[in-house]
Structures are given as C-alpha cells and as structure tokens.
Amino acid sequence: MRARPLLRTIRLGPIDPSLLRELLLALFFLVGALAGHLCARSWDAVAQSALSGYLRDYCAVYDAGGVSASLGGCVLLYFGYTVLVFLLGFASVGVALIPALSGVFGFLTMYTVSAFVCCFGRQGAALAAGALLVRLLFTLPCFFAMAGAAWPLSTELAMLTFGRGRRSAPVLYGSRYFILFVLCVAFLTLGVFCERLLTPLLFRLAMGGLAA
C-alpha cells in the first residue's frame, strides 16, 4: 500500500538540454573515431606497406631533428575546429555541420592513432600519444565547449530559416558566447606554446622506447 505513494514521489527531472547536446556531440565523435579505426584497418597490404614506410621515414627524420612543427601549422591544428564551430553558430547550416565536424574530428584523430598502431604495434600507441596527447588536452575541451554553445544557436537559425520560428523572436547572441570564445582562444594559445615545447620531447621519448 505504501509502495505506490513512494513511487509517485520518485519522478525523473527534465533532461538538461545542454547535457543532451554534449552527449550527442560525443556520440558523433565516437562514431567518427570508430569509422577512422575501421578505415585504417581496411587498407590492403600494399597501402599498409606504403603507410608503414612513410611513418618510419617520418620518425627517422624526426629523430634526426629535421622535423619541427611550424607556428602556422600549430595555429591551424589548434584553432581550426574551434574557430570553425564558432562561425557555424552564426549559420543555419551549423545545425548539421557542427555534429558532422565532431565526427570528422573523431575520425581523423582515431585514424592517426590506428595508423601508428598498424605500423608499430603496441608501441605505435605510445608514438600516437606523443604526437597527439598535448594537442587533444587543449583542443577537445575547447571544441566541445564551443560546439555545445553554437549548436543551439544554429538550430534556432535553422528553425527561423525554414519557417517554423518565423514569428518567434530573433536569435540573440549573448555576451557569454563571445566570452567563451575568447577564453577558448586564450587556452588554445597556451596550447600552441605547450605543443612546440612538449610534443617533440614526448615523441622522442616514445621513439626511444621503440628503439629499445
């Protein structure tokens, strides 16, 4: 008799839309990562051999000190996704392109990791970590934070564009959106300096384990 009143008092609260968006973006990232892994594994023996030769040559040149990430390349790698998703927040097509961009991010990241693993085995995971770890520590949080803020704005723009929200108020971009972008830019700028300082050390450390 007392079970029913108790069950009635237990009600699930409404799902936080921002949390749902973040989960969906993470899902697209994971789906892209899975596709990248499968794509790297699906190459035939000739392509695998060519990729292995390229990565081994790259590691050899890197070990000799002939490879250094240019400042322009670091800026593009660090700011590309975040700036693009920020701009997509001002376009109705962002409702589709923002989750697609999350999938592309996951695909390219896992494709790189899987390529190293296919070439060097378990030690390839250490090489991939040396090459990507610092970058992902900075770019992933900024991308998901910016995407979570931009996606609902582009969704509202799409609703206005396709007629569902013609009579609703215009989409407003509050100061929080721009402050978040400025904070991401500052954080990513720090990441560029860490990339140029730490990534060569980590990669050479991983290569030392490969030689051992």
Side-chain angles (χ1 to χ4, degrees), residues 113-195:
V113 174
S114 297
F116 274 105
V117 173
C118 288
C119 180
F120 299 105
R122 292 183 179 180
Q123 190 61 35
L127 290 170
L132 299 177
L133 180 61
V134 174
R135 186 192 313 167
L136 293 177
L137 285 176
F138 286 91
T139 56
L140 271 180
C142 290
F143 172 78
F144 281 112
M146 202 72 248
W151 201 12
L153 296 173
S154 64
T155 301
E156 292 181 25
L157 286 173
M159 292 172 62
L160 288 172
T161 301
F162 293 105
R164 183 178 175 184
R166 288 188 185 278
R167 296 182 181 180
S168 63
V171 179
L172 299 178
Y173 294 83
S175 59
R176 293 180 59 184
Y177 187 67
F178 297 96
I179 291 174
L180 176 62
F181 180 68
V182 170
L183 291 175
C184 287
V185 168
F187 189 60
L188 291 172
T189 301
L190 175 63
V192 170
F193 287 103
C194 292
E195 171 81 14

Side-chain angles (χ1 to χ4, degrees), residues 9-10 13 16 22 53 59 82 92 96 101 113 147 156 176 185 211:
T9 59
I10 301 176
D16 186 359
E22 293 292 341
C59 291
T82 299
S92 59
L101 188 62
V113 174
E156 292 181 25
R176 293 180 59 184
V185 168

Side-chain angles (χ1 to χ4, degrees), residues 60-119:
V61 175
Y62 202 107
D63 191 36
V67 176
S68 59
S70 66
L71 180 60
C74 284
V75 170
L76 180 62
L77 288 172
Y78 270 75
F79 289 87
Y81 287 105
T82 299
V83 171
L84 184 56
V85 80
F86 170 76
L87 295 176
L88 286 174
F90 297 94
S92 59
V93 293
V95 67
L97 292 184
I98 289 174
L101 188 62
S102 182
V104 170
F105 196 173
F107 177 90
L108 294 178
T109 299
M110 186 54 66
Y111 183 85
T112 303
V113 174
S114 297
F116 274 105
V117 173
C118 288
C119 180

Side-chain angles (χ1 to χ4, degrees), residues 1 9 30 44 48 127 129 159 205:
M1 298 294 294
T9 59
L30 292 175
D44 58 25
Q48 291 270 1
L127 290 170
M159 292 172 62
L205 183 63

